[in-house]
C-alpha cells in the first residue's frame, strides 16, 4: 500500500506515533466555570465559545487522554448569590445544580458534533436527559474513550462545583485537575488590577490556603492536598493551551506538594 493510500505522507505509522507528543497525564479532570461559556455576553451560553472550548477538549482527547469535566453554573444561576438575595440556601443551591446540567448538555452537544462521544452523568437522577452517577460505570466510559461530564455538583447543597470536581477526580483516579481560568496561572495578587503581580510556577496547597490565593475553595484544596492530587491552573482563553500543557509546553501554575 502506498503512503498516500495509507493516509500517512512519507512516514510509517510507527514513525508517526513516535513523533506525536506524549501526554504528561493519561486521565485528567477539566474544571471550568459556567462564566467561561458566556463569551462576551453577560449571561447564558454563547454557542461559538462553547464550540471553541469543545475544540480544545477534542484536541486533548485526540492525544489519547481520558477526560472528565465539571462545569459550573454561574452563567445561569449561582446558589450563593440567590441565597444572599433572600432565597433559602438549600433551594438556591439546587437551582445552581440544575444550571450545571444545562451547561453539561450544551458541552455534550458541542463535543458530539465534533465526533467525540460523551456521557453527561448527574449526581441528581434525571434519567430522561442524563445518566445517574455510578462510579464503576463512569470509569468504564472513560476506558472506552468517552468524555465524562459530571453535572449537578456533589448532589448536596453547600458544596461548590470546585469541590465536586475534586471529589470526582479522586473517585475517577485522575492524575491531575486542570482548572481553566481567564489568566495563565496563580498570581500573588489580581493581575488584572495590578501590573506588578507575580505569577507562581509552583505553589503548595498550604500556601494557597494561607494566602487565600483563590484557586479553588478551601474544601476543594484540602481534599486535593489530602489525596496528593495536583491542580494545574492555566488560561482557557489561550488557543491550544490545554493541549500544550499536556505536551509539556505552555504557561501555567502547578499547585501541589
Amino acid at each position: 500500500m502506498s503512503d498516500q493510500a495509507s493516509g500517512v505522507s512519507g512516514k510509517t505509522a510507527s514513525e508517526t506515533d513516535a513523533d506525536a507528543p506524549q501526554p504528561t497525564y493519561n486521565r485528567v479532570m477539566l474544571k471550568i466555570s459556567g462564566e467561561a461559556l458566556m463569551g462576551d455576553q453577560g449571561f447564558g451560553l454563547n454557542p461559538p465559545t462553547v464550540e471553541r472550548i469543545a475544540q480544545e477538549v477534542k484536541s486533548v482527547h485526540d492525544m489519547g487522554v481520558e477526560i472528565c469535566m465539571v462545569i459550573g453554573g454561574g452563567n445561569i444561576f449561582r446558589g450563593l448569590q440567590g441565597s444572599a438575595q433572600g432565597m433559602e440556601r438549600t433551594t438556591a443551591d439546587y437551582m445552581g445544580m440544575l444550571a450545571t446540567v444545562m451547561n453539561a448538555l450544551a458541552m455534550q452537544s458541542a463535543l458530539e458534533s465534533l465526533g467525540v462521544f460523551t456521557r453527561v452523568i448527574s449526581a441528581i437522577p434525571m434519567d430522561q436527559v442524563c445518566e445517574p452517577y455510578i462510579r464503576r460505570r463512569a470509569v468504564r466510559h472513560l476506558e472506552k474513550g468517552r468524555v465524562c461530564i459530571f453535572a449537578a455538583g456533589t448532589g448536596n447543597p453547600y458544596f461548590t462545583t470546585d469541590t465536586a470536581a475534586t471529589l470526582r477526580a479522586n473517585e475517577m483516579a485522575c492524575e491531575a485537575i486542570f482548572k481553566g481560568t481567564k489568566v495563565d496561572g496563580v498570581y500573588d495578587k489580581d493581575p488584572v488590577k495590578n501590573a506588578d503581580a507575580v505569577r507562581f510556577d509552583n505553589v503548595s496547597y498550604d500556601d494557597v490556603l494561607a494566602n487565600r490565593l483563590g484557586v479553588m475553595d478551601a474544601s476543594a484544596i484540602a481534599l486535593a492536598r489530602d489525596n496528593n492530587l495536583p491542580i494545574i491552573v492555566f488560561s482557557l482563553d489561550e488557543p491550544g493551551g490545554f493541549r500544550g500543557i499536556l505536551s509539556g509546553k505552555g504557561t501555567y501554575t502547578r499547585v501541589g506538594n
Side-chain angles (χ1 to χ4, degrees), residues 25 177-179 181 183-188 198-204 208 213 215 230-235 245 250-256:
Y25 300 103
I177 298 174
F178 278 70
K179 177 71 182 289
T181 69
V183 294
D184 58 357
V186 180
Y187 287 76
D188 61 346
V198 177
R199 186 183 60 81
F200 301 104
D201 288 328
N202 295 279
V203 63
S204 70
V208 169
L213 295 178
V215 177
I231 303 168
I232 309 297
V233 182
F234 72 105
S235 173
I245 295 169
T251 303
Y252 59 91
T253 297
R254 181 184 185 277
V255 180

Side-chain angles (χ1 to χ4, degrees), residues 114-127:
L114 299 173
V116 179
F117 292 108
T118 73
R119 291 293 185 274
V120 173
I121 302 172
S122 173
I124 298 174
M126 48 186 82
D127 295 346

Side-chain angles (χ1 to χ4, degrees), residues 72-135:
N75 58 319
I76 299 172
F77 188 87
R78 186 179 294 277
L80 198 58
Q81 291 178 350
S83 177
Q85 295 175 12
M87 185 176 291
E88 194 271 323
R89 174 65 188 271
T90 301
T91 299
D93 279 357
Y94 278 122
M95 292 174 67
M97 292 179 213
L98 295 178
T100 71
V101 177
M102 295 172 69
N103 285 338
L105 292 172
M107 182 57 63
Q108 178 182 47
S109 177
L111 284 169
E112 294 199 337
S113 72
L114 299 173
V116 179
F117 292 108
T118 73
R119 291 293 185 274
V120 173
I121 302 172
S122 173
I124 298 174
M126 48 186 82
D127 295 346
Q128 290 177 309
V129 294
C130 50
E131 291 186 6
Y133 176 67
I134 300 172
R135 187 184 67 84

